[in-house]
Amino acid sequence: MPNFTDDIRTVSGVSERRAALYGKIGIKTAGDLLTHYPRGYIDFSSPIEINRAEVGEYAVIRAAVAKKLAPFFGKSAVYKLLLTDENGAIICTFFNSEYNFNRLVVNKEYIFYGKIGGNVLQKEIINPLFITPDDPNKLAPKYRLTAGLTNGIVSANARCALAAVKGGEPADLPERIRRDYSLIDVKSALEKIHFPASAEDYKTARRGLVFKELLVLQLGLAMVKARNRKLTGAAMPGRDIRAFYGNLPFKPTRAQLRAVDECVADMKKRVPMNRLLQGDVGSGKTAVAAALAYYAYLGGFQTALMVPTEILANQHYKTFQEFLTPLGVKTVLLTGGLSAAEKKLSRSEIKSGEAAVAVGTHALIQSGTEFGALGLVITDEQHRFGVGQRSKLISKGDNPHTLVISATPIPRTLGLIIYGDLDISVLDEMPKGRLPVKTYCVDTSFRERLYKFIIKRVGEGGQAYIVCPLIEESAANEKASAVNYYGELRETWLSGVPTALLHGRMKQPEKDGVMADFKSGKTKVLVSTTVIEVGVDVPDAVIMLIENAEQFGLSQLHQLRGRVGRGKEQSYCILVTDNCSPYTKARTDAMTRTTDGFEIADEDLKLRGPGDFFGQRQHGLPVLKIADMSEDAEILEETRKLAKSVIDGDPELTSPGNAGLKALVAELFKESSEYGYN
Ligand code: ADP
Ligand code: MG
């Protein structure tokens, strides 16, 4: 009898070949198979008549086997049966499944589920799933599959793997917690989630599993937070930063002042700050970062600001120079695009402490970069970095204060999870005088009008972005290719307008040149891929035209829109797409309805689901297998409180009563090594 942690091959019915298929979808052990939860269920409880089953749709029908036809052995083995009910008949076909063919008995009735093929005169149901009418389990699981696996196979294997639960204990929450929160035990939950007898069964099972998953996750995060509180870093005593505000080219918003104050309060303490700065695109997060760098400088410490792209590094470098150089603070740039000599110079100034601020890309975390006295680590556009990269930069100082900046507003619920180990400051106010960007969605027949509109605005001193999803020619749609599209526009509509091309495969100096010309206003229209997505700031840019808008996610569209509307003029975001799928429409509707990043984020979460919202790689957290952040908000809150109280009482889960929880945390975080549970 297999154990929960035993290899998938120990489950009866799982051959070497099948194990390889399971491997493709990340299933290696019996336990993995059991936590490969169904994505939904086929409801066998209300079958329809054969006559009412529509060709091209999935249907559940109740029918008797009228006769078995002679098998046909061609490229594959084809087994056909004739099924009938009172008013109709349908052919049932199995490919390569003598097993199912043999299981069906002539003259007996079954309930079948499958896609209806053929035509109205002769319908066909191919490789259906079926149960007998007296089967008490009327809900059959549907799984995420890969070619070669079917729902039938996975559910049969899952049934066998349930034996694993009986053989070796799967780890469960302590009895006291299950009692307090009325949760069923994990064994029953696993059985019921795969084979619920009723919707009620399913709900009970799911609640138990979601609760467990969210509790363990939040225990892990609460442990990190508790550990962090025990570290000792550099306390930076109170200093006056009025000179910084005096030198700013604008009046800070109240939200900016509040965020700076919250961070400064943290930085005065020995416990390192561990904070997230959240704010919609254009809310002015860079100025907050610069104020803190100045504060650290006054305390005798260096600041490292890491950003994901060279373009952004260059931009921040210039901004920091503008804000800080007049105050006597030296900022240096360190990116992969610099010449060897330039890099060497930056590194030596960072090491000697002559540079108080280092702005750069991943070059900052390379082994050659050493800091004299790193006291503050800031990562901008946090969602682009893994936790690992952030901790590498942090390790260059002696428990420095850390601030992570995210321009992707995160729904509160998700923020608690992804940034559960951080405190949060929010910029909930836009600088004064900004007009909301007007957003429209049009089809490609509008292109000429759009070009005329761009030419008109450019004539009035404006600038425009045209974003395409791909770099080079794509057969499907050549407008999708920035290179081709640029070439075409130069020769036609925009021949009289200074237009440039920007994409990720260009060499760095080239990119810098293009960007500099666009920022200075020498170039008026920038045709580009999404390299401009992150953080780029050009106040005169008033048009954002997005081609093939259906290719972008909602948050990405919102990010792109954030590139305009930064100055005093009315800005426009125009989504161009001929795609009318409901999913595209849901995104374009959300974009035209609101410019509020938090609302967009909520909508995005609903559309994409939490697993997708931030790829696991990006935040380094374990993947959640069953919990759904928008649906399970209540359990999320319950478990958050519980996790906090457990960790407050036993920060390292060392008491014997918490040993089980500790093991569960280690198990969940086993692939997130940055969290240090193993
Ligand atoms: P983000 O939050 O998206 O990183 P930035 O820091 O790039 O935004 O700021 C966007 C633009 O707004 C910049 O041009 C910046 O100079 C300007 N800005 C920032 N704060 C203010 C303010 N308080 N008043 C006016 N303009 C501001
Ligand atoms: Mg920014």
Side-chain angles (χ1 to χ4, degrees):
M1 195 167 281
N3 272 320
F4 205 67
T5 50
D6 281 354
D7 193 283
I8 183 78
R9 282 167 293 198
T10 59
V11 175
S12 69
V14 178
S15 61
E16 203 66 42
R17 213 189 112 254
R18 194 171 284 171
L21 295 178
Y22 277 123
K24 278 195 197 168
I25 47 175
I27 297 172
K28 298 191 192 81
T29 65
D32 288 343
L33 179 58
L34 287 176
T35 53
H36 188 63
Y37 301 118
R39 287 187 310 162
Y41 299 85
I42 299 155
D43 186 356
F44 283 98
S45 65
S46 33
I48 58 170
E49 282 184 20
I50 293 173
N51 282 343
R52 287 182 42 224
E54 288 191 36
V55 173
E57 305 286 324
Y58 282 86
V60 177
I61 55 173
R62 179 172 176 147
V65 178
K67 71 174 171 198
K68 294 189 172 186
L69 309 177
F72 169 80
F73 300 98
K75 237 188 199 161
S76 47
V78 183
Y79 301 90
K80 284 184 187 280
L81 309 96
L82 181 66
L83 310 177
T84 54
D85 64 10
E86 276 186 9
N87 302 310
I90 189 168
I91 296 285
C92 168
T93 307
F94 289 107
F95 288 100
N96 297 323
S97 184
E98 188 179 11
Y99 170 73
N100 280 320
F101 183 71
N102 288 340
R103 271 169 69 206
L104 291 167
V105 178
V106 174
N107 285 333
K108 280 224 158 134
E109 252 193 349
Y110 300 88
I111 305 173
F112 296 88
Y113 165 84
K115 191 166 182 172
I116 308 297
N119 55 51
V120 195
L121 296 177
Q122 181 58 77
K123 289 180 189 169
E124 187 175 8
I125 188 165
I126 297 167
N127 289 332
L129 295 176
F130 56 89
I131 62 170
T132 56
D134 57 4
D135 190 327
N137 285 327
K138 289 285 190 294
L139 293 172
K142 282 199 278 191
Y143 297 96
R144 186 167 61 82
L145 301 167
T146 182
L149 289 175
T150 64
N151 283 311
I153 293 174
V154 179
S155 82
N157 290 152
R159 220 180 253 289
C160 295
L162 275 169
V165 176
K166 288 162 191 138
E169 295 282 305
D172 203 347
L173 296 178
E175 168 103 49
R176 62 172 201 279
I177 292 180
R178 278 192 283 126
R179 205 179 40 233
D180 287 353
Y181 291 86
S182 321
L183 307 167
I184 61 167
D185 65 286
V186 68
K187 288 181 193 184
S188 317
L190 287 173
E191 181 146 11
K192 284 180 199 287
I193 199 88
H194 288 281
F195 305 105
S198 64
E200 206 45 49
D201 250 14
Y202 160 73
K203 274 191 205 147
T204 321
R206 186 172 184 283
R207 182 175 134 75
L209 295 168
V210 168
F211 193 100
K212 181 178 165 208
E213 183 167 58
L214 290 178
L215 177 63
V216 173
L217 177 67
Q218 304 204 67
L219 282 170
L221 295 174
M223 277 169 85
V224 175
K225 203 166 184 170
R227 276 180 203 171
N228 199 56
R229 269 191 241 115
K230 282 200 303 207
L231 296 176
T232 50
M236 300 179 189
R239 307 275 174 177
D240 188 350
I241 56 169
R242 264 176 298 181
F244 176 81
Y245 294 126
N247 181 51
L248 266 190
F250 43 74
K251 193 166 168 284
T253 63
R254 267 168 307 158
Q256 284 170 320
L257 291 172
R258 179 170 18 94
V260 172
D261 287 348
E262 284 168 357
C263 295
V264 162
D266 285 357
M267 289 162 71
K268 283 181 184 166
K269 298 182 191 143
R270 289 203 77 80
V271 178
M273 169 168 79
N274 200 21
R275 190 171 277 278
L276 168 71
L277 175 63
Q278 241 198 16
D280 210 344
V281 272
S283 58
K285 297 181 290 292
T286 318
V288 173
L292 300 177
Y294 183 58
Y295 185 81
Y297 160 81
L298 294 178
F301 287 94
Q302 289 173 296
T303 297
L305 170 63
M306 183 163 70
V307 299
T309 65
E310 302 249 349
I311 289 179
L312 199 54
N314 284 301
Q315 177 182 301
H316 279 355
Y317 173 59
K318 295 203 181 86
T319 306
F320 269 59
Q321 278 187 315
E322 183 193 343
F323 291 174
L324 297 177
T325 309
L327 305 172
V329 183
K330 177 155 189 168
T331 302
V332 295
L333 179 68
L334 184 62
T335 66
L338 295 181
S339 73
E342 287 167 324
K343 270 188 256 189
K344 198 168 162 217
L345 179 61
S346 288
R347 288 205 163 106
S348 84
E349 289 179 339
I350 293 169
K351 190 169 180 188
S352 71
E354 195 183 332
V357 182
V359 175
T361 54
H362 300 88
L364 286 172
I365 56 178
Q366 285 164 0
S367 54
T369 313
E370 285 172 50
F371 286 81
L374 182 59
L376 173 63
V377 164
I378 306 178
T379 42
D380 194 8
E381 308 297 344
Q382 162 65 14
H383 61 289
R384 291 290 191 95
F385 292 108
V387 181
Q389 289 169 315
R390 183 157 68 100
S391 48
K392 234 188 203 148
L393 185 54
I394 292 170
S395 71
K396 303 226 173 238
D398 189 8
N399 295 328
H401 296 291
T402 61
L403 181 71
V404 300
I405 300 182
S406 173
T408 311
I410 302 155
R412 206 184 88 84
T413 49
L414 199 62
L416 289 174
I417 286 290
I418 294 181
Y419 298 117
D421 59 331
L422 305 184
D423 300 306
I424 301 183
S425 290
V426 180
L427 294 186
D428 52 5
E429 180 189 358
M430 284 287 173
K432 284 217 178 51
R434 295 265 176 84
L435 294 166
V437 178
K438 290 192 175 159
T439 305
Y440 303 95
C441 181
V442 299
D443 61 43
T444 48
S445 71
F446 277 76
R447 277 214 185 98
E448 289 196 0
R449 271 194 259 174
L450 296 177
Y451 300 147
K452 285 183 191 158
F453 182 60
I454 289 177
I455 292 166
K456 180 160 172 274
R457 292 287 140 172
V458 167
E460 294 162 2
Q463 291 174 275
Y465 293 104
I466 300 178
V467 175
C468 311
L470 301 171
I471 301 175
E472 265 145 40
E473 190 162 6
S474 84
N477 184 344
E478 66 165 44
K479 286 286 183 292
S481 138
V483 174
N484 281 4
Y485 192 27
Y486 168 73
E488 189 191 308
L489 281 177
R490 288 279 314 235
E491 280 166 27
T492 56
W493 283 98
L494 300 184
S495 58
V497 179
T499 303
L501 173 69
L502 182 73
H503 62 71
R505 280 195 225 151
M506 284 164 47
K507 291 247 161 59
Q508 193 53 41
E510 225 183 326
K511 278 197 238 175
D512 289 347
V514 168
M515 217 45 230
D517 286 349
F518 190 64
K519 278 195 103 162
S520 73
K522 201 170 136 203
T523 307
K524 296 298 180 187
V525 178
L526 190 62
V527 178
S528 108
T529 57
T530 52
V531 283
I532 57 144
E533 179 193 348
V534 157
V536 175
D537 185 44
V538 181
D540 281 339
V542 290
I543 297 175
M544 168 60 68
L545 182 90
I546 304 174
E547 287 283 352
N548 294 85
E550 76 281 354
Q551 306 259 340
F552 298 94
L554 183 51
S555 290
Q556 209 179 6
L557 290 173
H558 180 68
Q559 285 284 314
L560 287 169
R561 172 166 62 185
R563 299 304 119 229
V564 296
R566 291 172 165 247
K568 292 232 154 44
E569 297 299 316
Q570 176 64 56
S571 288
Y572 301 85
C573 173
I574 301 151
L575 311 172
V576 184
T577 179
D578 281 333
N579 180 304
C580 345
S581 78
Y583 182 51
T584 300
K585 193 162 168 357
R587 280 174 291 164
T588 54
D589 280 355
M591 283 290 288
T592 48
R593 188 178 65 237
T594 180
T595 52
D596 179 339
F598 284 89
E599 211 177 315
I600 294 273
D602 267 329
E603 189 65 30
D604 201 22
L605 178 62
K606 268 189 224 138
L607 287 174
R608 290 208 273 170
D612 227 41
F613 192 77
F614 281 92
Q616 192 242 355
R617 232 166 7 100
Q618 291 180 344
H619 57 69
L621 284 178
V623 182
L624 296 180
K625 289 186 167 170
I626 191 161
D628 175 328
M629 292 313 142
S630 43
E631 213 178 291
D632 299 316
E634 220 169 285
I635 303 181
L636 187 66
E637 193 54 30
E638 259 181 316
T639 50
R640 198 174 65 87
K641 287 193 188 128
L642 176 58
K644 187 174 179 311
S645 79
V646 170
I647 296 297
D648 282 350
D650 183 10
E652 289 291 326
L653 297 176
T654 41
S655 79
N658 287 331
L661 290 177
K662 191 177 177 123
L664 284 169
V665 171
E667 169 67 23
L668 183 67
F669 282 81
K670 68 173 186 266
E671 265 147 38
S672 313
S673 55
E674 300 88 2
Y675 282 88
Y677 292 104
N678 37 8

